[in-house]
Amino acid sequence: MSRRRALLLAGLAVLLVALFAVATGAGRGDRGDPGDAGAVRWLGRLAGGGVVVDPATVRAGCDREGDTLRVVGGCVLRVADPGGLRTLVLRGPGRFTVTAPAPGDADLTVRDEVEPGDDGQAVARIAVDDATEIVVNCPGGAACLVTVATS
């Protein structure tokens, strides 16, 4: 092996050891915060990111003013076929529950109770790949506002 090749391999080995040491030693002691996925979010945007469902393609069985829905007890949202995997984003100032079928051929229904975060907004992100119906419920059958958002 030539001297140049040996130096290159030694440099590569040192770099790998340094990266391993940083990766294992520089982490936080906790399990992490899924909402704090800065690098992952950045990589997602770099790769084209997720495309959201156009609010105009969502029909609702409840009162609607623009993109804001007034849900009393429950409301069925009908999403037109988005032509590929998209994300339906629902935002509200209070707690609400979303029930939706899983995308693809999975025979599974997903239910999630969405709570407001630190910013005061409850946000639900639902994967949609075909025409589908999604049910939104308010706690205790009361009225709540939910917006079909673009981000």
Side-chain angles (χ1 to χ4, degrees):
M1 180 181 321
S2 71
R3 179 173 166 82
R4 185 176 188 176
R5 193 173 284 172
L7 286 175
L8 182 62
L9 285 175
L12 181 61
V14 168
L15 178 64
L16 287 174
V17 169
L19 287 174
F20 178 76
V22 168
T24 59
R28 300 185 310 214
D30 60 3
R31 302 188 92 202
D33 177 11
D36 182 26
V40 174
R41 191 176 306 116
W42 178 79
L43 287 171
R45 282 192 298 245
L46 184 67
V51 179
V52 297
V53 171
D54 180 8
T57 64
V58 178
R59 303 288 174 240
C62 52
D63 291 340
R64 181 174 183 165
E65 186 174 320
D67 293 334
T68 302
L69 312 170
R70 185 171 187 278
V71 179
V72 179
C75 179
V76 176
L77 307 181
R78 290 171 184 82
V79 180
D81 186 355
L85 186 62
R86 303 286 188 264
T87 304
L88 174 65
V89 180
L90 301 175
R91 294 182 176 272
R95 185 169 50 115
F96 61 93
T97 303
V98 178
T99 306
D105 295 333
D107 186 23
L108 177 70
T109 300
V110 180
R111 183 179 184 277
D112 189 22
E113 187 171 300
V114 188
E115 300 277 342
D118 293 337
D119 62 354
Q121 287 287 306
V123 181
R125 289 180 174 81
I126 302 110
V128 177
D129 66 347
D130 204 355
T132 190
E133 291 186 351
I134 297 167
V135 178
V136 178
N137 291 305
C138 301
C144 60
L145 295 176
V146 176
T147 301
V148 180
T150 57
S151 65

